[in-house]
Amino acid sequence: MEWKGAEPCAMGTAAMGRVFTGQQARAFTDLAEVIIPPGGEWPSAGEVVVLADMEARCEDTFGLRDAVCMVLDSVHQQAMALEAASFGALPPGRRIEVVKQVEAAAPAEFRKLVECIYEFYYSDPGVQRTVEQRTRFRIRAAVDGVSVAQFEDVLFRVAEVGARERRVRRVEEA
Amino acid sequence: MTERNAEEADIVVVGAGAAGAAVSLRLAERGAHVVCLEQGGWVNRDELPKRFADWERRGRRYWHPDPTARRWRTDYPVRSVGDTPVNPWLYMVVGGSTVGFGGVYWRLLPSDFRTHSLDGFGVDWPISYEDLEPYYDQNEKIIGLSGMAGDPTGPDRIEPPLPPVEMGRIGKMWIDAFEKLGWYWWPQDCAISTRDYGQGRGECLGRGFCRFGCPSGALATVDVSYWPQALQAGVDLRINARVRKISVDRTGRRVDSIAYYDGDGMVRELRPKVLVLSCGGVGTPRLLLMSSCAAWPHGLANSSGMVGRNLMLHVHSLVVGRFGAPVDGDHGAWGGSVSSREFYETDTGNGYLRGFTLGARRGLAPMETAMQVVPWGNSHHAEFERRVNREGVVAICGDDEPEVTNGVALDWDKRDQFGLPGATISYALSGNSIALGEAAIARGRELCMAAGAEEVRDTGLAPVSGWHLMGTARMGDDPAASVVNADHQAHDVDNLFLVDGSSMPTGGAVNPTNTIQAMALRAGDRLVARRSEFGI
């Protein structure tokens, strides 16, 4: 059953155990696609980010739910005002225009949503593999460790510094 | 419900963090019966973020350094209300905020104890570097310091027990840059075991991003460094023990009892011969202010009005250089590979007093990089690839003058689960701190360019990272201008000792944990030397 109320967020009650209305849910998925679009080996956030994660995040983070719902409602309303169509139905250029307008109108709230999308996106195992392939930064190194190189190869340079004039301020002058 | 009979105790220490663990160990190994109350529990080391591939996400969520964002059951709320926003960074668990630290482990310099006499900056300490020196040595042995003696910009010292941490490719780039500029540098002292250090303290595996906890125990967080020894020495550590009030006798000059909620929510009472507060730069003044009474209407031990004032945070920023090729950003010490005290002391040609350190290290993690600087939209992936694994960081840490207008207060609008008040941090960067910080950022940029960076950015001077919380119950000889004396004994209450970062009269320009723990070991020895005064 679709939620028919106008402002489930403002009421503080999720419909059927969900945070978002159907319209908000669609707007979220479409917006994620604009925030991080596909490119080369990179999937889009729309492909990767799971709606349920966003809803769960809204439920356990104070103040997030209202901010996110406001942004999603604004995206829909701006799209309707511009083209009398849902956000997802807009051509790509118009979608970006709408998102920029929403960002300018509510930068703090928009930032919260973007950070959530980034967080979910870069936690995805497939995206993490792409990060490693594209940047050669091994995310798993923080879990598995790395081969720790010996320090000795710069010791002679340390010794050179150690031989320099001492520069410790004398406190006796106080 | 309250227990009818108060329990007697020789010494009660409140707080099991960096200072509380150190003073507890020292007192217990000298034969005192010590009860330590910690309002949090033990960190579940199987759940540390870096046990999991999505460690950055976990680090941003349940491991978040801001208790108001993290919302562990045992936390109290802390929020910033001053002109300069502060991001609170503190943990209320066994190990305190060390569980989320980077292990950068400097000593202060002799001049840091005399900044007023030397430079007209802040106040002088009632103790000297020489007073703390043997305790630095002891502390560094306990935690397993990695580093090297011989830095010409530091005082003579014994060789650290372990060799320095790996520098990685980026570390060598920083060395080249320091040399190019003719600036002194030295391998960073770290509280990281670079060899197996016993008692479960394994060798550093170079996982990096230390603030998300260290699964191998190489990072000397206090839960794995001090506490096993303290428990072995007989300290009675009580976790989930949330103190609600300290009461004094009729004279107002002696602590009579301390009431706390235990893990079941029952109120319990202890009657210590000596009470030591080691709750940190926010927690200690909070507890003193919560314990106001007829004798001390403005907060316990607060005849000076200095409880909660003079908060110092350090002037801090990250200067980030972007290089044209990968820099092996998953290698090298995270907290600092190579550091410099080139600009530590006052230079009369500058427009500010005192100085700063530069800590050069590897870059930021991928998600953090994206959050900081990668835009949404069509350029996202290209910008991400242009930055991740191609950046290096210069962390600046500058001296922050104590000012009575900066401080900590009770927050009755935001309370913990027992209705006890949270804390507010009210802080504004001074003109000196801004001038110093801008100069430090400029030097950081210079270093990045010398290292070959194609582009440099910085994180500015605000919001301020609220991790080095110092000065809010400072030591001094004058009871009208300080809260405790050189032995950490409250001027106003004979058997009350305040031992943590709040005791620091000035903060120097380095990470303070080594100093806080050295002070705690010394405070323990001073207390033991005077034990007969307290009937112990």
Side-chain angles (χ1 to χ4, degrees):
Chain A
M1 183 180 138
E2 187 65 51
W3 172 261
K4 301 294 184 187
E7 296 294 337
C9 296
M11 293 169 66
T13 307
M16 302 289 287
R18 295 174 309 211
V19 172
F20 300 145
T21 64
Q23 177 185 292
Q24 289 167 336
R26 283 190 294 276
F28 174 76
T29 305
D30 293 336
L31 179 61
E33 195 81 7
V34 175
I35 299 300
I36 304 181
E41 297 166 47
W42 297 97
S44 72
E47 294 170 69
V48 166
V49 174
V50 179
L51 181 66
D53 284 349
M54 186 68 242
E55 292 190 304
R57 192 81 157 98
C58 283
E59 286 186 325
D60 72 7
T61 306
F62 181 76
L64 182 62
R65 176 189 185 126
D66 289 345
V68 169
C69 288
M70 190 273 271
V71 170
L72 297 177
D73 288 342
S74 298
V75 163
H76 177 72
Q77 288 157 9
Q78 288 285 350
M80 292 302 289
L82 275 176
E83 299 273 358
S86 69
F87 178 69
L90 298 183
R94 294 294 261 175
R95 286 197 207 180
I96 292 171
E97 192 180 327
V98 164
V99 177
K100 284 182 175 173
Q101 286 175 358
V102 171
E103 181 182 29
E109 291 79 3
F110 183 80
R111 180 75 198 162
K112 286 181 182 177
L113 178 54
V114 167
E115 288 195 353
C116 288
I117 291 171
Y118 281 18
E119 183 180 308
F120 299 138
Y121 184 77
Y122 287 107
S123 301
D124 178 78
V127 172
Q128 291 193 339
R129 282 193 292 275
T130 307
V131 170
E132 299 198 349
Q133 286 162 11
R134 296 294 303 171
T135 69
R136 288 161 43 194
F137 182 98
R138 289 183 303 122
I139 294 171
R140 286 288 308 185
V143 181
D144 302 331
V146 297
S147 173
V148 178
Q150 293 300 304
F151 185 81
E152 284 71 10
D153 56 343
V154 295
L155 283 182
F156 74 97
R157 303 186 73 180
V158 180
E160 284 175 7
V161 178
R164 291 177 188 163
E165 179 192 359
R166 287 185 60 76
R167 273 200 208 164
V168 184
R169 191 175 182 187
R170 296 173 62 84
V171 298
E172 291 77 10
E173 62 185 90
Chain B
M1 188 174 178
T2 307
E3 289 250 305
R4 286 177 180 273
N5 299 317
E7 185 183 354
E8 305 284 335
D10 280 350
I11 300 173
V12 172
V13 176
V14 182
V23 73
S24 293
L25 171 63
R26 178 50 45 93
L27 292 168
E29 66 189 4
R30 298 285 193 263
H33 172 234
V34 181
V35 176
C36 181
L37 303 178
E38 168 52 52
Q39 82 168 38
W42 289 91
V43 167
N44 181 349
R45 301 188 59 76
D46 291 333
E47 295 290 326
L48 291 173
K50 286 190 298 183
R51 297 271 189 204
F52 306 91
D54 62 344
W55 51 273
E56 270 206 275
R57 179 182 180 183
R58 291 167 186 265
R60 285 177 52 81
R61 297 193 64 186
Y62 76 81
W63 195 256
H64 200 291
D66 181 345
T68 306
R70 179 179 65 229
R71 296 198 300 173
W72 289 348
R73 189 178 59 81
T74 52
D75 289 332
Y76 57 80
V78 181
R79 64 187 173 114
S80 169
V81 298
D83 291 343
T84 304
V86 175
N87 290 330
W89 187 301
L90 61 166
Y91 292 84
M92 296 83 162
V93 289
V94 177
S97 297
T98 66
V99 304
F101 82 159
V104 175
Y105 224 64
W106 299 84
R107 295 183 179 196
L108 290 177
L109 293 183
S111 66
D112 287 316
F113 297 80
R114 296 286 179 272
T115 57
H116 181 73
S117 299
L118 288 168
D119 297 324
F121 178 95
V123 292
D124 287 349
W125 291 49
I127 60 174
S128 67
Y129 176 84
E130 287 70 27
D131 291 320
L132 273 192
E133 185 177 18
Y135 297 100
Y136 278 127
D137 292 346
Q138 293 167 30
N139 184 51
E140 290 164 5
K141 186 176 178 188
I142 292 168
I143 61 97
L145 184 77
S146 62
M148 293 179 76
D151 182 352
T153 65
D156 290 333
R157 50 178 278 191
I158 59 171
E159 193 67 44
L162 295 168
V165 292
E166 185 209 13
M167 289 190 174
R169 184 171 159 193
I170 187 77
K172 292 167 190 170
M173 290 169 64
W174 291 126
I175 290 174
D176 289 341
F178 279 120
E179 287 293 314
K180 190 173 174 182
L181 294 167
W183 297 351
Y184 278 56
W185 57 271
W186 200 254
Q188 176 65 58
D189 284 348
C190 291
I192 294 173
S193 53
T194 47
R195 302 283 184 271
D196 191 310
Y197 206 60
Q199 293 205 350
R201 301 277 319 283
E203 178 180 339
C204 176
L205 299 179
R207 291 183 171 95
F209 308 103
C210 303
R211 72 179 179 87
F212 297 130
C214 179
S216 68
L219 182 69
T221 58
V222 167
D223 54 332
V224 299
S225 57
Y226 263 93
W227 272 110
Q229 297 179 57
L231 293 174
Q232 201 166 18
V235 177
D236 177 0
L237 173 64
R238 300 181 187 181
I239 61 173
N240 302 317
R242 185 185 307 247
V243 174
R244 72 170 192 177
K245 181 94 174 171
I246 302 161
S247 300
V248 290
D249 67 9
R250 288 184 181 179
T251 70
R253 296 284 308 182
R254 286 188 62 82
V255 169
D256 181 63
S257 65
I258 177 168
Y260 68 98
Y261 295 103
D262 69 12
D264 297 323
M266 177 177 280
V267 178
R268 294 186 177 276
E269 192 175 29
L270 280 163
R271 300 191 67 193
K273 292 173 180 166
V274 169
L275 176 64
V276 178
L277 298 187
S278 298
C279 310
V282 170
T284 287
R286 172 178 175 264
L287 204 44
L288 293 172
L289 296 171
M290 280 166 54
S291 300
S292 60
C293 59
W296 304 107
H298 304 296
L300 185 60
N302 195 21
S303 67
S304 64
M306 291 294 121
V307 170
R309 295 181 184 268
N310 303 301
L311 174 68
M312 298 169 288
L313 299 173
H314 280 140
V315 182
H316 177 71
S317 188
L318 300 179
V319 182
V320 185
R322 187 188 61 75
F323 300 92
V327 294
D328 292 352
D330 47 15
H331 279 67
W334 178 78
S337 297
V338 194
S339 299
S340 175
R341 284 189 282 222
E342 178 77 20
F343 305 102
Y344 200 89
E345 298 290 350
T346 296
D347 180 337
T348 51
N350 293 331
Y352 56 86
L353 298 173
R354 302 301 292 165
F356 52 88
T357 49
L358 300 168
R361 58 177 171 87
R362 61 157 85 175
L364 304 171
M367 187 187 295
E368 189 175 13
T369 302
M371 298 276 188
Q372 279 194 7
V373 75
V374 179
W376 62 267
N378 290 329
S379 63
H380 182 86
H381 300 302
E383 189 63 17
F384 183 86
E385 291 181 18
R386 211 166 70 89
R387 297 206 175 263
V388 170
N389 199 17
R390 288 167 185 254
E391 290 187 332
V393 169
V394 180
I396 68 162
C397 182
D399 215 336
D400 186 21
E401 191 169 16
E403 295 175 283
V404 292
T405 49
N406 290 336
V408 172
L410 297 181
D411 186 354
W412 288 100
D413 293 329
K414 303 284 182 188
R415 286 177 267 172
D416 71 5
Q417 66 163 353
F418 286 97
L420 301 175
T424 59
I425 293 175
S426 182
Y427 180 82
L429 280 165
S430 68
N432 192 77
S433 291
I434 291 170
L436 183 154
E438 288 173 347
I441 288 172
R443 292 299 191 180
R445 287 180 167 271
E446 212 176 325
L447 185 65
C448 288
M449 295 308 290
E454 293 181 347
E455 179 189 340
V456 185
R457 63 187 172 92
D458 67 74
T459 57
L461 297 176
V464 181
S465 288
W467 45 21
H468 302 165
L469 301 156
M470 305 170 291
T472 47
R474 69 186 181 189
M475 64 162 56
D477 292 327
D478 181 2
S482 58
V483 182
V484 297
N485 64 21
D487 286 351
H488 296 260
Q489 181 183 26
H491 292 302
D492 296 336
V493 181
D494 296 337
N495 62 341
L496 175 64
F497 290 72
L498 312 179
V499 182
D500 53 34
S502 68
S503 312
M504 296 174 71
T506 54
V510 295
N511 306 53
T513 307
N514 195 1
T515 299
I516 291 168
Q517 290 182 308
M519 291 169 74
L521 292 173
R522 178 181 170 277
D525 272 356
R526 295 299 304 146
L527 191 46
V528 168
R530 298 174 55 190
R531 62 196 303 173
S532 61
E533 293 176 37
F534 306 103
I536 299 171

